[in-house]
């Protein structure tokens, strides 16, 4: 009995299985964007986004626009796609991973990321981000109803004029952006590291998300800057009828991999147990 007690007292408490998070500087963002641009030039992916993103976006957009007063939710819908953008970037993450490792890179290999053992873990993180997106759209509808429950301008252009020139329109903008910031922060904390980590190693959705949150907590200013860069690039790219997104989204997807590389210690990833 005493021996068992002594052995228990001398037992080594297992270390936190999460990968080690590094402290990074804003220079990491510029380096990640340059590397993401290089990956995009080496493996242009805009045609894939034209073929996949726009039909899906059009279906969702049409569902809202054709609904009653749906035009009022077009901006929240476009902004909300940034919340689930990391999910669409999974093949791009694989392209960047393979280029970095010096492996053969083609779209067949890139799509193989969807056949990895980590597929279930990736799907769980994707569902979590989709839940955040759904919650944001519900919140956007509630905010719109609060300010425009009655006397809604008839048509998109009168509505836009009212939003930009009246007190209630300004209130909608301020409250909408404040609430949107909260949802964006949640999505950033969940997805900025978790998905690239799972593309590299199936550590499980729980470990991946906790690692991502830890990365944001340890580098709040840099990650907030990254979130602002992503939001700004997507906003500018959306202005010409969303045409710019076919370049902006792939570049940001590749850059996410390189930011992950600078944020997470590589050796610690290799030591982290795979999902059992």
């Amino acid at each position: 009995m005493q021996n068992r007690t002594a052995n228990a007292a001398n037992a080594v408490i297992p270390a936190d299985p999460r990968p080690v998070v590094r402290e990074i500087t804003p220079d990491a963002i510029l380096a990640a964007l340059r590397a993401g641009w290089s990956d995009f030039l080496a493996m242009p992916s805009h045609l894939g986004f034209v073929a996949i993103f726009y039909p899906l976006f059009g279906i969702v957009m049409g569902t809202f626009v054709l609904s009653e007063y749906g035009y009022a939710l077009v901006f929240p819908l476009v902004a909300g796609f940034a919340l689930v953008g990391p999910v669409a970037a999974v093949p791009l993450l694989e392209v960047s991973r393979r280029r970095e490792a010096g492996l053969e890179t083609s779209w067949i290999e890139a799509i193989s990321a969807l056949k990895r053992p980590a597929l279930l873990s990736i799907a769980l993180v994707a569902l979590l981000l989709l839940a955040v997106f759904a919650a944001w759209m519900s919140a956007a509808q509630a905010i719109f109803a609060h300010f425009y429950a009655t006397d809604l301008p008839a048509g998109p252009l009168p509505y836009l004029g009212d939003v930009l020139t009246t007190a209630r329109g300004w209130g909608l903008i301020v409250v909408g952006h404040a609430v949107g910031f909260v949802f964006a922060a949640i999505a950033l904390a969940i997805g900025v590291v978790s998905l690239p980590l799972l593309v590299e190693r199936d550590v499980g959705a729980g470990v991946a998300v906790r690692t991502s949150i830890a990365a944001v907590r340890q580098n709040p200013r840099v990650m907030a800057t990254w979130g602002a860069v992503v939001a700004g690039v997507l906003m500018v790219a959306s202005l010409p009828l969303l045409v710019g997104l076919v370049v902006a989204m792939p570049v940001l997807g590749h850059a996410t991999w390189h930011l992950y590389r600078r944020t997470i210690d590589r050796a610690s990833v290799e030591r982290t147990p795979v999902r059992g």
Side-chain angles (χ1 to χ4, degrees), residues 100-260:
E100 181 186 85
L103 301 174
E104 181 183 352
T105 302
S106 69
W107 281 113
I108 295 177
E109 281 83 12
I111 295 174
S112 70
L114 302 178
K115 301 178 182 179
R116 290 174 174 273
L119 177 59
L120 177 59
S121 299
I122 291 173
L124 290 174
V125 175
L127 288 174
L128 188 56
L129 289 173
L130 286 172
V132 175
F133 172 76
W136 156 242
M137 290 306 301
S138 296
Q141 287 180 303
I143 294 169
F144 166 75
H146 174 76
F147 286 97
Y148 285 90
T150 59
D151 191 27
L152 176 68
L157 291 180
Y159 169 72
L160 179 62
D162 190 89
V163 168
L164 296 177
T165 60
T166 66
R168 67 172 179 174
W170 299 335
L172 175 70
I173 292 173
V174 171
V175 175
H177 278 76
V179 174
F181 174 81
V182 174
F183 281 101
I186 294 172
L188 178 69
I190 292 172
V192 67
V193 163
S194 61
L195 289 172
L197 174 57
L198 289 172
V199 167
E200 182 173 21
R201 188 173 178 85
D202 185 12
V203 299
V207 170
V209 170
R210 290 198 299 272
T211 303
S212 191
I213 293 172
V216 173
R217 292 180 62 184
Q218 189 160 332
N219 299 282
R221 292 184 180 180
V222 177
M223 290 301 178
T225 301
W226 171 248
V229 167
V230 171
V233 169
L234 292 179
M235 183 178 298
V236 172
S238 299
L239 293 178
L241 299 176
L242 308 179
V243 172
L245 293 178
V246 299
V247 173
M249 291 188 71
V251 171
L252 291 173
H254 291 302
T256 298
W257 170 264
H258 295 287
L259 185 66
Y260 154 76

Side-chain angles (χ1 to χ4, degrees), residues 83-108:
L83 304 180
V84 294
V87 179
V90 168
L92 303 174
L93 298 172
E94 176 67 2
V95 167
S96 293
R97 186 192 74 82
R98 296 185 70 85
R99 284 200 73 220
E100 181 186 85
L103 301 174
E104 181 183 352
T105 302
S106 69
W107 281 113
I108 295 177

